[in-house]
Amino acid sequence: MRVDFVVDGLTLAGDLRVPGGVGPWPGLVFTGPFTGVKEQVTGLYAERLAARGYVTLAFDHRNWGESGGRPRFEEDPQGKLRDLRAAVSFLRGRSEVDAERIGAVGVCLGGGYALKFAAFEPRVKVFAGIAGAYNNPYTMRAGMDYQDVLGTFAEVLERQDRGGPVECLPAVSERGEAAMPGDEPYAYYGTERGAAPSWENSVTRAGVRELVTMDNMMGADFLSPKPALIVHGVVDRFCPPEGAEEVFRRLDQPKRLVWVDAKQHIDLYDREPYVTQAVDATADFLREHL
């Protein structure tokens, strides 16, 4: 069912899925890939886990999809964490939900957000990250001329501060400049695979800056002793397995790392048997810990 909830004066749009039968059931809040909307990856996982006995809430973060917020198509890390807080409050207020059994599930970039959010949110009892991007500035700095890149973004923001328009670039493109360049992201977002009425092929340049400065990996140092599940593909060019391994290493027990024999990052977005393997692993872990 379509639901709305409010945070920071913004109305966020979500899809609430409730299992059949008699509740209350444990609840799961979802956060997903960079630029993603609720009809895409998070919606698929929310639907599959609702069928396993969980009330699920997939929603559009501020500035994206059918939710409010400006600038449109801008990544807002602190705002996303507040969105997740409000989503948990919404779930806990539903009669279908056992308010003391709430989990956070993140896919791709949402894996990092869910990790950091769950680490500092006492109402969340368990975390699951699937094909997670666990961003941190140290890793980003190692792969680029960091100060030069930051300087480029500073120029963009200064023009905007002086009254210029919000500058955007394509989210995906097979060729040419994009926030997620190349054939693999395009194979999902640029085709019918990821088609969704509210998704647009745009992201602000300022939003891209957030990707290289955010530190969601730190959540791994603060999450324990909450249970943590990491599901990741053995091959992943966009969210390298080394990131999943580092999160797992920095966590204390209880924790579980499940490798899926996927060859592309986007295999875990919608391809079988990989989605079913991830859902099975998540449901098994949640059954034990939530």
Side-chain angles (χ1 to χ4, degrees):
M1 74 179 76
R2 166 65 184 264
V3 296
D4 296 318
F5 57 99
V6 176
V7 56
D8 295 340
L10 302 172
T11 299
L12 305 188
D15 289 323
L16 187 74
R17 293 174 170 89
V18 180
V22 179
W25 297 271
L28 301 175
V29 62
F30 289 78
T31 179
F34 181 49
T35 81
V37 295
K38 63 185 179 303
E39 294 84 7
Q40 295 171 326
V41 180
T42 55
L44 174 60
Y45 278 92
E47 180 179 16
R48 297 288 294 274
L49 284 164
R52 303 293 186 96
Y54 300 89
V55 177
T56 63
L57 177 61
F59 67 95
D60 291 332
H61 279 285
R62 65 183 67 198
N63 309 334
W64 301 96
E66 295 182 293
S67 290
R70 292 189 179 279
R72 300 304 296 170
F73 320 121
E74 180 143 302
E75 191 71 13
D76 182 350
Q78 292 305 313
K80 278 192 166 183
L81 295 174
R82 293 197 297 274
D83 295 346
L84 286 165
R85 182 198 70 210
V88 168
S89 296
F90 174 82
L91 274 182
R92 282 168 54 91
R94 299 287 304 195
S95 62
E96 306 98 328
V97 176
D98 181 344
E100 299 307 314
R101 291 195 292 162
I102 302 290
V105 180
V107 186
C108 185
L109 188 62
Y113 280 120
L115 173 66
K116 189 172 184 178
F117 173 68
F120 298 102
E121 176 50 73
R123 300 174 300 168
V124 171
K125 307 304 182 185
V126 64
F127 155 76
I130 300 167
Y134 304 105
N135 292 44
N136 74 86
Y138 300 100
T139 300
M140 291 292 181
R141 184 178 63 181
M144 64 180 70
D145 186 336
Y146 200 64
Q147 290 303 320
D148 183 64
V149 170
L150 292 180
T152 300
F153 288 123
E155 294 171 7
V156 171
L157 290 169
E158 183 170 308
R159 287 194 293 271
Q160 293 180 190
D161 290 342
R162 291 178 173 177
V166 174
E167 298 185 25
C168 294
L169 73 161
V172 296
S173 176
E174 282 189 289
R175 301 171 188 84
E177 186 183 24
M180 298 179 286
D183 56 352
E184 186 177 334
Y186 188 85
Y188 181 78
Y189 289 106
T191 69
E192 286 301 309
R193 280 179 68 180
S198 65
W199 186 83
E200 296 188 39
N201 189 16
S202 185
V203 59
T204 69
R205 291 188 183 275
V208 177
R209 177 189 181 276
E210 300 302 330
L211 297 182
V212 302
T213 58
M214 70 173 64
D215 187 354
N216 287 336
M217 177 70 77
M218 67 175 292
D221 298 327
F222 292 89
L223 182 77
S224 302
K226 290 181 184 178
L229 170 70
I230 306 292
V231 180
H232 213 88
V234 295
V235 177
D236 192 325
R237 289 192 300 132
F238 286 86
C239 299
E242 290 80 5
E245 290 175 331
E246 182 175 353
V247 171
F248 189 73
R249 176 181 59 80
R250 289 163 68 163
L251 293 166
D252 294 328
Q253 295 290 349
K255 61 182 179 178
R256 185 177 303 162
L257 176 59
V258 176
W259 294 109
V260 176
D261 191 26
K263 298 302 188 287
Q264 290 191 326
H265 176 70
I266 60 172
D267 283 344
L268 279 159
Y269 281 16
D270 64 342
R271 290 297 199 207
E272 293 297 347
Y274 313 111
V275 170
T276 292
Q277 291 170 359
V279 169
D280 286 346
T282 304
D284 288 346
F285 191 79
L286 293 174
R287 189 178 304 112
E288 181 178 350
H289 295 285
L290 190 65

